[in-house]
């Protein structure tokens, strides 16, 4: 029990550290964003964690298509649901940040619109799964769709915003990135935050997959 507990406690410790230190450390006085740069410790780790979950889901979808093992479908689908949860947290923290820096919770920005489209693609995945009763067909169609959804995620969040010349988002449209303003002190808070949330997301994934397997064994 102790052997499998250390990484969970490590994740909790890193998150607790980042939450507290994120409010106490000195931050660069960057134009426009000012003190709101502290949201970097909370907003960006949500996106990192979301990508980790969706990436995990992609891997298990491919594994399912190559072997048709139900356990891989469970891992893939639960990773998507976990990713959606952290994606929603990323949207909420981003909207709070946008209100402070841009004066509105949502603007017609390529990065924000791309995030919205990506989340809708994965919400459609959940709807698709719920509409198919036969297990094998549901797993196979979901796996194929999941690969497509991940491609959309990369395009709408990784490619198109960087090509746009009108984005307000830091690091896009010619704007300087908030990551460029990270001094050593901020990096010592940001990276533990990102690692901590990713660790916790895998802990949540472990709990969810165990629950699914128990329920399916009962049924």
């Amino acid at each position: 029990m102790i052997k499998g507990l250390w990484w969970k406690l490590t994740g909790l410790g890193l998150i607790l550290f980042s939450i507290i230190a994120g409010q106490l450390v000195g931050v660069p006085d960057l134009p426009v964003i000012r003190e709101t740069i502290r949201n970097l410790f909370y907003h960006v780790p949500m996106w990192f964690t979301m990508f980790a979950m969706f990436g995990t889901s992609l891997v298990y979808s491919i594994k399912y298509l190559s072997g048709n093992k139900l356990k891989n479908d469970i891992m893939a689908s639960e990773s998507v649901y976990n990713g959606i949860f952290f994606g929603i947290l990323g949207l909420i923290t981003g909207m709070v940040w946008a209100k402070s820096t841009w004066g509105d919770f949502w603007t017609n920005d390529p990065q924000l619109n791309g995030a919205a489209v990506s989340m809708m693609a994965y919400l459609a995945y959940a709807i698709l799964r719920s509409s198919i009763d036969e297990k094998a067909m549901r797993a196979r169609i979901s796996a194929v769709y999941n690969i497509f959804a991940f491609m959309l995620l990369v395009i709408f969040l990784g490619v198109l915003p960087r090509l746009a010349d009108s984005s307000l988002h830091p690091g896009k449209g010619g704007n300087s990135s908030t990551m460029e303003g990270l001094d050593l002190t901020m990096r010592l808070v940001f990276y533990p935050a990102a690692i901590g949330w990713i660790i916790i997301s895998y802990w949540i994934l472990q709990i969810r997959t165990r629950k699914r397997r128990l329920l399916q064994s009962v049924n």
Side-chain angles (χ1 to χ4, degrees):
M1 182 177 179
I2 299 297
K3 183 178 179 181
L5 191 62
W6 69 269
W7 61 275
K8 300 169 186 176
L9 293 177
T10 299
L12 289 173
L14 290 173
I15 290 174
L16 183 62
F17 164 77
S18 66
I19 291 175
I20 297 174
Q23 297 301 314
L24 299 178
V25 299
V27 295
D29 186 21
L30 298 180
V32 183
I33 56 178
R34 305 298 179 186
E35 283 288 320
T36 65
I37 196 176
R38 294 182 188 277
N39 198 13
L40 187 80
F41 302 136
Y42 315 112
H43 169 61
V44 180
M46 295 300 103
W47 289 122
F48 276 38
T49 307
M50 180 194 73
F51 266 99
M53 285 292 99
F54 288 155
T56 300
S57 179
L58 173 69
V59 170
Y60 279 97
S61 288
I62 294 173
K63 289 180 70 174
Y64 176 81
L65 291 174
S66 64
N68 295 323
K69 294 182 178 180
L70 186 59
K71 65 178 183 179
N72 291 327
D73 174 61
I74 292 175
M75 282 293 294
S77 58
E78 292 300 333
S79 296
V80 167
Y81 300 145
N82 223 14
I84 290 173
F85 171 72
F86 283 99
I88 291 173
L89 290 180
L91 284 175
I92 293 173
T93 52
M95 289 170 65
V96 171
W97 202 352
K99 178 64 175 178
S100 298
T101 56
W102 303 337
D104 206 343
F105 287 112
W106 199 274
T107 63
N108 187 24
D109 185 85
Q111 181 81 6
L112 273 65
N113 293 337
V117 171
S118 299
M119 290 305 302
M120 285 190 289
Y122 278 100
L123 288 172
Y125 169 94
I127 296 172
L128 176 65
R129 284 189 65 88
S130 65
S131 66
I132 304 174
D133 294 326
E134 204 279 312
K135 289 183 179 180
M137 181 181 294
R138 178 175 62 220
R140 180 165 289 274
I141 293 176
S142 298
V144 173
Y145 179 88
N146 195 27
I147 296 173
F148 169 74
F150 191 82
M151 292 172 61
L152 285 181
L153 179 72
V154 172
I155 292 172
F156 282 103
L157 279 182
V159 178
L160 293 183
R162 296 185 180 278
L163 298 178
D165 56 3
S166 59
S167 178
L168 295 173
H169 200 278
K172 310 296 188 303
N175 294 319
S176 60
S177 172
T178 50
M179 295 297 290
E180 295 172 1
L182 285 182
D183 57 15
L184 178 60
T185 302
M186 289 193 68
R187 291 178 188 275
L188 290 175
V189 177
F190 172 78
Y191 290 114
I195 294 171
W197 281 111
I198 291 174
I199 290 174
I200 294 303
S201 73
Y202 281 103
W203 186 6
I204 296 173
L205 177 62
Q206 183 184 74
I207 295 172
R208 291 180 62 97
T209 52
R210 285 179 177 176
K211 179 182 177 181
R212 276 276 298 278
R213 288 171 184 168
L214 286 172
L215 290 174
Q216 291 193 5
S217 65
V218 171
N219 296 330

